[in-house]
Amino acid sequence: MKAAIAIIICLSLFTTSVTVFATHKEKPVQLITQKGNNLFAFKVSKPWQYAHVEVLAVNGDCVSCQTLMRRKMVINFQDVKAGTYTIKISKGEYVQEFEYVKK
């Protein structure tokens, strides 16, 4: 009888610890929308605030480089030439890239 009670207690503690310490994995960077012809919007999770954001041209030149001060950011491509651009968001070892084509 004592062994059965010990097993039940161990199982309940294990189940509780799994539900309490389980982490919800969400993407740190989520594309909101590519609004209109010239706007690119994205949102990051809270720990990603202050990430590094770069906009790179096809040839590798840095068009814009800044620190993400808020969780949402809208990049305006109105003043750049038509072409393909890479938006690179990085924090620590993690890097996520998006591609934007301006027509």
Side-chain angles (χ1 to χ4, degrees):
M1 186 70 171
K2 288 183 180 183
I5 293 173
I7 291 172
I8 291 172
I9 291 173
C10 287
L11 285 175
S12 66
L13 288 175
F14 175 73
T15 305
T16 305
S17 66
V18 168
T19 56
V20 169
F21 295 111
T23 59
H24 177 66
K25 297 278 184 176
E26 67 176 35
K27 287 187 174 182
V29 181
Q30 297 173 347
L31 177 64
I32 294 175
T33 184
Q34 293 184 6
K35 300 176 183 177
N37 292 335
N38 298 318
L39 300 177
F40 181 89
F42 64 91
K43 180 180 177 180
V44 298
S45 58
K46 258 190 178 177
W48 276 77
Q49 198 169 357
Y50 306 111
H52 189 70
V53 180
E54 291 179 295
V55 178
L56 305 169
V58 173
N59 60 4
D61 290 342
C62 184
V63 176
S64 175
C65 180
Q66 61 185 352
T67 301
L68 185 62
M69 300 306 286
R70 297 178 183 214
R71 292 183 59 200
K72 287 184 184 177
M73 178 179 245
V74 177
I75 300 172
N76 189 347
F77 285 92
Q78 185 173 357
D79 296 332
V80 296
K81 295 179 184 177
T84 303
Y85 295 90
T86 303
I87 297 113
K88 186 168 134 179
I89 305 158
S90 60
K91 186 164 185 180
E93 295 178 7
Y94 186 82
V95 176
Q96 188 164 357
E97 294 183 355
F98 295 96
E99 206 171 84
Y100 181 82
V101 179
K102 179 174 180 186
K103 299 176 183 176

